[in-house]
Structures are given as C-alpha cells and as structure tokens.
Amino acid sequence: MNTNRHESHDPSETPQITLRGPAELADALPFMLGFHPTDSVVLVALHGERGRFGGRARLGIPRASHEWPETAEHLAECLVEGSTRRGDRPDAIAVFLCQDPAPGETGRRVMERLRPFAQRLRTACGALDVPVLEALCISDGLYFSYCCPDTRCCPPDGTPLALSGTSVMAASAAYAGIQVRGSLKDMEARLKPREHGVDPERPSAQRAALGEAAYVLVPKILDTPAGQGRQELRATTIELARTLIDRFSQPAEAPAARAADSPHDVLTGRASLASDRWHTSADAADDARLTPEEAAALILGLQDRDTRDQAAEWMEGPEADGALRLWRALSRRCVAPYQEYAAAPLALAGWVAWSSGDEPSARVALSLALDADPEYLFARLLHQACNEGLDPESLRSCLRKERDTREAAGTGETEADDNDDQASDHGSDPAGRRPGGRSPSRNRERVADRPAGPRPRVPAMRTARRGGPGRVPTRAAGAVRRGATAPRSTVVRRAGRRGTGSGG
C-alpha cells in the first residue's frame, strides 16, 4: 500500500505492502478508490522500479464503441499531465475495466467485448511514452488479463477474485482505518431520485411541487425591480435552509440501529453490506423529514449562485453533517424532468463531503453534478481541486471571510450585488474591473459559473410562463441559474496543498 502523499510524514515509518501478480492488483483496486467501481475504466499511475501507486483517473465506460478512442486519449492525457504537473511523471500505468455482465452475458464475453477498448487505452498510454504494465477486466466475480500470456496464472476463462475482505491488503486496510464504501452504484443511488421508493406517490408530488415553485418564484425574480426579487428569494432560501439544517442535524431515525462492526464482519465484507442497508434506511428517514414544498422552494432558491455560495458556508463543525444530509435529500428530489436542478445540491454535497475529509464520496457527488449540468463551473472547479489533492482549507478560509464580512456589515448583501446583472452586460470598465463592478482582487475569489456571452432574453422567459406551471421549469429554471441571477461563484483557489507532498 503506497503512502498518503497528501500528508507530511516520514515514508520510512509507513507500512508497505507488496502486491504480487494480477490477483492482488485486482483486489487492491477498491482500497485505492474507496469504493468498488462499477461500469468504470480506471487508470492508476505507477512510479519507480517497484511500481508505487500514484494518481488515479476514473470514468464511466462509454456505451458507444466509437467513443472509445477519444475517451482513451483523454484519460491517458489527464493522468499523465496531471501527474507531471504535480512533479512526478508516471513510469507505467495499470488499467482496469470493471463492468457487470448484461442479462445472458458472461464475464468472458464482457472481457472480449471490451478488448478493443483495452487496446485503445494501451495505445494511448504508449503514445505518451508511458507503458501499460497490466490491463485487467473485472467482471462477474472474475478477473481477466489483457497482458499476461501465461494461461497458468491468467486462464482465458478468468480467475475468481479473492473473497471480499480476506486478503492481506484488506486486513492491512482495515488496520489502517481505510474504508471501502460499497459499490459506486450504491453510492450514486444515495444521490439520485427514487422513482419507485417507499412512497410511490412522492415522485409525482415532488414533480408537481417543483413545477408550482418555478411558476411562482421565477416571475417574482423577473418582474420585480432590478435585484429586489432575487434578494428576497435569497433571504427566504437561506432562512429555509438554516431551519432544515437544524432539523437534519438531529440523529437519523433509521428503522434499524447500526451495530458496531466486528473484526470478523470487517474481514468477510459483511460490514460494508450492513452499512449499505443502514444508509438506505437512514436516507429514507431523511426523505420523510422534508416536504415536497420545502424541497421545491430550496431547490429553486439554490439555482441562484450567490445563494448557493452562502449555503456552502455550512461546511464544518456540527452543522456539516446536517447540511450534507439535506443536500443529499434535495438531490434525490430532483425527479424527471428536473434533473438539471440537481447540479446545485449535488455540488454542495460534494463540497461538504470533501471539506469533511470524505474524498471518495465527494468525487461521486461532484461527478453526478457534472452529469446533471456539464457546464456547472462550481462543480468542475471543486472536482478538479479534489482530484488534484488540494487542501479544502483554502476554500473554507475564503468562505469564512465572506461570512465575516457579511455579518460585520449587518446584511446578507453588498451594494455591488444589486448591480451585477446590469454591469455584466457591459464587459470590463476602463478601470480594469470585471463585470459586476468588482476589483480584480475581489474577482480572484469569484468566477462566473457560465462562459461569457449573451444572457437569455427576459421576454422568452415570460413566454414560457404562459404555458402554465408544467412548462416553466424546462426553460425558466435555467434562466435563474444562467443569467437572471448574479454571475459569480466562489472560486477554488489553487494555493495550499495539504502537507509537503504533491497530490498523487
């Protein structure tokens, strides 16, 4: 097990584990990521003669095979360039393709179907002068090697994976306190709507509440005097969020209490299964704490970037757990056709998880936020910073400073905020200020969530309104996020890596 290069320590005092062969390499993958990857391609950088683990890059396997060449090149470039930027270019790469068989399909059939993708990955890495040391396909409880020609250790029908939790790697990880949080699919399920959950009426009730909220709130923003509707919505949203975080900070009332994990459960893998069941029950209890109307009002309010930035201040201390549970619950309420709304609560969930030290959960939440809205820069910045091993304290410090400034002024807004929309339409002024009337030093802490360009026309939004509550969200909600609100969000500054080492 390679050392944690994000913290300052003496490497000679860190226990080392030597992995021998594809079997132990396959067993180590969940411990490197913090979860069991499903439907994923993973690249792991290897350094030095002994193949010390370094940076990792994971992406969902594209369903369309014509996307494989571009995906392979992109992943290889991201891993090599990212490692080089941190001062440690990889000497080799290990490739993992993880995918469960489709109905009627075998693990070997999955391996053969993905073989061209594995070859593309090997070629892309080789083009960057970094050889692929091993390429494994993990499917149906088996692993297959694309590189090893020896059928004695890597038979064509695959080799069974070690029983979960029984390897030396698993025992050492349990001793070191490294947690595997179940499968990627299970982690994503905690952040996605449950169309067929415990209460079958909840999705339709939430869908109606979101439509009604958009029909009421968006016109309020657009039809009131400049800035007034947005400020009123911001104040009510923050007050509602504060109330709900207090509510969610109460202990989770799961139907079954979570028992302490015994050493035997840890080694057999039963602990992670029990944990997943407990999380499902706890999430269901959290869902019951939130009415459809409360969820809709808060989801709509968080589409305003300044509101979302202020909500990000609930990031540490006792309130962080309640905030994380609330943002997760809100992301589960973004039912179809309102999936794009989920970008804001998912980004907030990722930020709080990262701030609390749970990097695997943060990456999953931020990745889903980008799935909901690929142009959501707040999530992109956080995702990049988390992947590069930056210290979240730099952003926490920035948010604390914002909060202290606002509290010292005795108001939730600054005078410059009232003119954001007008100034953003006229570019930079001769004094060198950026759109919004802020000085360059101020804007180093804030950045627009969307590329510069013409803003949506208000008449178009009013036309959508005439279609009734059911049609407003598909067009009007985007206006709240893309331009009818303040064009700024907290930037993740690149200063301040953890410890003395570079992220790996």
Side-chain angles (χ1 to χ4, degrees):
M1 189 190 313
N2 58 310
T3 62
N4 184 350
R5 303 174 60 219
H6 295 182
E7 298 179 0
S8 177
H9 62 279
D10 184 357
S12 63
E13 299 177 357
T14 303
Q16 301 287 322
I17 296 177
T18 301
L19 303 180
R20 298 178 176 87
E24 294 185 355
L25 190 62
D27 181 68
L29 182 60
F31 299 98
M32 288 189 281
L33 298 177
F35 55 85
H36 294 274
T38 50
D39 196 27
S40 298
V41 50
V42 182
L43 269 61
V44 179
L46 304 175
H47 302 276
E49 295 181 357
R50 304 186 65 179
R52 174 177 50 83
F53 291 148
R56 295 165 288 280
R58 187 204 66 83
L59 194 65
I61 297 177
R63 294 185 179 181
S65 58
H66 65 82
E67 298 179 5
W68 290 352
E70 183 179 358
T71 300
E73 294 174 3
H74 172 71
L75 272 177
E77 289 174 1
C78 284
L79 182 61
V80 174
E81 292 179 3
S83 298
T84 303
R85 187 167 57 249
R86 293 189 291 271
D88 202 358
R89 180 180 173 85
D91 297 299
I93 289 176
V95 173
F96 301 85
L97 293 172
C98 308
Q99 190 171 75
D100 293 331
E105 194 175 31
T106 64
R108 180 171 182 177
R109 180 72 187 95
V110 173
M111 181 270 293
E112 293 294 348
R113 175 166 51 80
L114 295 178
R115 184 183 293 276
F117 189 23
Q119 185 58 38
R120 289 285 188 179
L121 290 163
R122 297 175 67 182
T123 302
C125 294
L128 298 175
D129 294 326
V130 183
V132 171
L133 187 65
E134 181 61 272
L136 298 178
C137 176
I138 300 175
S139 179
D140 197 24
L142 305 169
Y143 74 84
F144 306 81
S145 175
Y146 291 112
C147 296
C148 179
D150 191 344
T151 57
R152 293 172 298 178
C153 62
C154 298
D157 290 331
T159 304
L161 294 169
L163 183 63
S164 177
T166 60
S167 65
V168 174
M169 179 74 178
S172 300
Y175 176 78
I178 298 175
Q179 180 184 5
V180 178
R181 294 161 178 79
S183 71
L184 175 62
K185 182 179 180 180
D186 293 335
M187 294 177 70
E188 291 180 339
R190 301 191 67 191
L191 300 165
K192 292 182 176 181
R194 297 169 182 170
E195 291 287 348
H196 303 288
V198 177
D199 182 2
E201 299 297 326
R202 182 174 293 162
S204 58
Q206 189 60 65
R207 193 173 295 113
L210 284 166
E212 183 62 28
Y215 185 68
V216 172
L217 296 178
V218 173
K220 181 178 179 180
I221 296 173
L222 298 177
D223 293 342
T224 53
Q228 179 179 334
R230 180 166 57 85
Q231 292 178 25
E232 292 177 357
L233 177 60
R234 187 175 306 157
T236 57
T237 300
I238 292 299
E239 184 61 31
L240 175 60
R242 183 178 290 109
T243 300
L244 292 176
I245 287 176
D246 290 340
R247 185 188 304 172
F248 275 74
S249 296
Q250 301 301 318
E253 298 175 358
R258 182 180 179 184
D261 298 335
S262 69
H264 179 265
D265 286 341
V266 171
L267 291 177
T268 59
R270 293 178 182 174
S272 61
L273 295 176
S275 178
D276 289 341
R277 289 193 296 268
W278 186 88
H279 283 312
T280 300
S281 299
D283 289 345
D286 281 347
D287 289 338
R289 296 172 183 256
L290 193 62
T291 68
E293 293 74 22
E294 290 172 332
L298 194 49
I299 289 170
L300 263 293
L302 289 175
Q303 305 309 306
D304 172 74
R305 298 163 194 165
D306 287 338
T307 306
R308 180 208 60 207
D309 289 348
Q310 191 169 337
E313 295 170 7
W314 287 299
M315 59 189 171
E316 55 191 346
E319 61 193 10
D321 179 65
L324 179 57
R325 289 165 57 190
L326 175 59
W327 307 144
R328 283 173 173 164
L330 289 180
S331 67
R332 293 193 294 269
R333 295 299 186 98
C334 295
V335 296
Y338 306 98
Q339 296 94 327
E340 190 178 356
Y341 287 30
L346 284 169
L348 288 170
W351 157 237
V352 178
W354 182 37
S355 179
S356 303
D358 187 355
E359 292 187 7
S361 296
R363 292 190 185 99
V364 171
L366 294 170
S367 179
L368 288 178
L370 293 174
D371 287 343
D373 186 352
E375 298 181 11
Y376 203 63
L377 191 56
F378 183 64
R380 287 170 55 191
L381 291 170
L382 289 172
H383 194 250
Q384 179 180 356
C386 182
N387 286 337
E388 292 189 358
L390 302 187
D391 190 347
E393 178 56 29
S394 60
L395 182 53
R396 285 196 294 258
S397 177
C398 176
L399 290 172
R400 291 190 203 104
K401 197 175 300 181
E402 291 279 344
R403 179 176 57 199
D404 294 343
T405 300
R406 187 177 59 254
E407 291 176 353
T411 178
E413 305 296 327
T414 61
E415 293 182 2
D417 289 342
D418 297 337
N419 299 319
D420 275 348
D421 291 335
Q422 298 176 6
S424 65
D425 288 333
H426 300 289
S428 301
D429 65 17
R433 291 193 298 265
R434 296 184 182 181
R438 297 181 180 83
S439 64
S441 61
R442 172 71 169 177
N443 274 280
R444 277 195 291 267
E445 297 180 353
R446 297 283 188 172
V447 64
D449 265 356
R450 298 283 179 174
R455 292 157 35 83
R457 297 179 180 273
V458 172
M461 307 311 304
R462 290 173 177 163
T463 301
R465 234 177 60 213
R466 287 195 287 270
R471 293 184 56 189
V472 171
T474 58
R475 300 180 65 186
V480 178
R481 182 170 55 252
R482 293 185 177 89
T485 59
R488 63 189 181 97
S489 80
T490 306
V491 80
V492 181
R493 292 179 293 181
R494 301 179 64 85
R497 295 182 184 273
R498 284 174 291 188
T500 58
S502 61

